[in-house]
Amino acid sequence: EILVGHGRLFLTSMPAAYFPVPVLQNGIKLTTEPPKGLRANVIRSFLPMSDEQLNDSAKPKEWRRLQFGLKFFHAVIQERRKFGPLGWNIRYEFNDSDLETSTTITHNMLELDGAIPWDTLLFVIGHINYGGRVTDDNDRKCLLAILEKYVTPKILETDYRFSESGTYRCPDNSDVAD
């Protein structure tokens, strides 16, 4: 076969000792890092969502508020990684696929007739989607305790705050479509 010299090759790789060094030395490297800070992380999580997606639910008010809660939860656990062993006993690679899966599960649960299955949401998101990566028992307890602040019936109340200081909460207009 003839090799054409004017093509491009895109590779994706996790850091690994066995990856060939000459490929790295001769190529252009791009990295994607999570945004700095809770606000930037939450905003980045909402960027791929359209207005149609935010309004596409049988329970639109609940859907929007739970969306914000999930995205804020994701930002919090991402930020905890910066604190090394004070944040998590073991470094976990939580990523956007965890958030996407949790979003899909939440949407599907809201489409069911009847009350929101809070216990099911907590179990699936906390033990399976995110918790499936967690191997330390104390980290799992911490993750579930954090999640319970964001996936709770209280999030549907307009005056619910994520923190005792009242600084962190759902936006005022999160229960109506803009």
Side-chain angles (χ1 to χ4, degrees):
E1 301 220 4
I2 299 174
L3 188 62
V4 179
H6 58 275
R8 292 186 182 177
L9 174 65
F10 292 88
L11 296 173
T12 302
S13 175
M14 296 292 288
Y18 56 83
F19 194 85
V21 175
V23 172
L24 291 173
Q25 291 171 336
N26 293 322
I28 298 173
K29 281 116 359 232
L30 300 172
T31 60
T32 303
E33 296 184 14
K36 305 262 188 246
L38 288 173
R39 179 181 169 87
N41 203 318
V42 171
I43 290 171
R44 182 179 147 275
S45 295
F46 274 106
L47 285 178
M49 294 196 78
S50 66
D51 288 342
E52 291 81 28
Q53 288 173 307
L54 285 172
N55 294 323
D56 179 33
S57 177
K59 300 172 184 163
K61 174 186 173 188
E62 294 85 347
W63 170 238
R64 283 187 292 275
R65 292 188 72 85
L66 275 168
Q67 275 302 291
F68 189 81
L70 277 176
K71 293 189 181 351
F72 204 90
F73 164 73
H74 184 75
V76 166
I77 64 169
Q78 292 281 49
E79 285 294 306
R80 286 183 67 87
R81 293 188 326 179
K82 293 180 182 178
F83 299 101
L86 295 176
W88 299 108
N89 292 330
I90 299 170
R91 185 171 175 85
Y92 302 106
E93 293 299 325
F94 301 115
N95 56 43
D96 291 342
S97 66
D98 299 317
L99 179 59
E100 290 169 19
T101 304
S102 298
T103 299
T104 302
I105 293 293
T106 302
H107 184 266
N108 292 344
M109 292 292 171
L110 287 177
E111 296 306 300
L112 299 174
D113 289 335
I116 298 172
W118 296 103
D119 291 337
T120 303
L121 284 173
L122 285 171
F123 184 84
V124 173
I125 295 168
H127 286 282
I128 299 171
N129 295 355
Y130 284 92
R133 297 182 187 279
V134 178
T135 55
D136 183 82
D137 286 339
N138 289 327
D139 286 344
R140 185 180 326 283
K141 290 175 189 173
C142 181
L143 179 102
L144 292 171
I146 295 169
L147 180 62
E148 288 174 0
K149 288 287 232 180
Y150 304 100
V151 178
T152 174
K154 293 178 185 176
I155 199 170
L156 303 179
E157 300 169 8
T158 56
D159 61 342
Y160 180 68
R161 306 288 188 249
F162 297 137
S163 64
E164 290 183 20
S165 68
T167 303
Y168 302 107
R169 58 185 173 75
C170 280
D172 293 333
N173 62 350
S174 63
D175 58 348
V176 295
D178 281 356

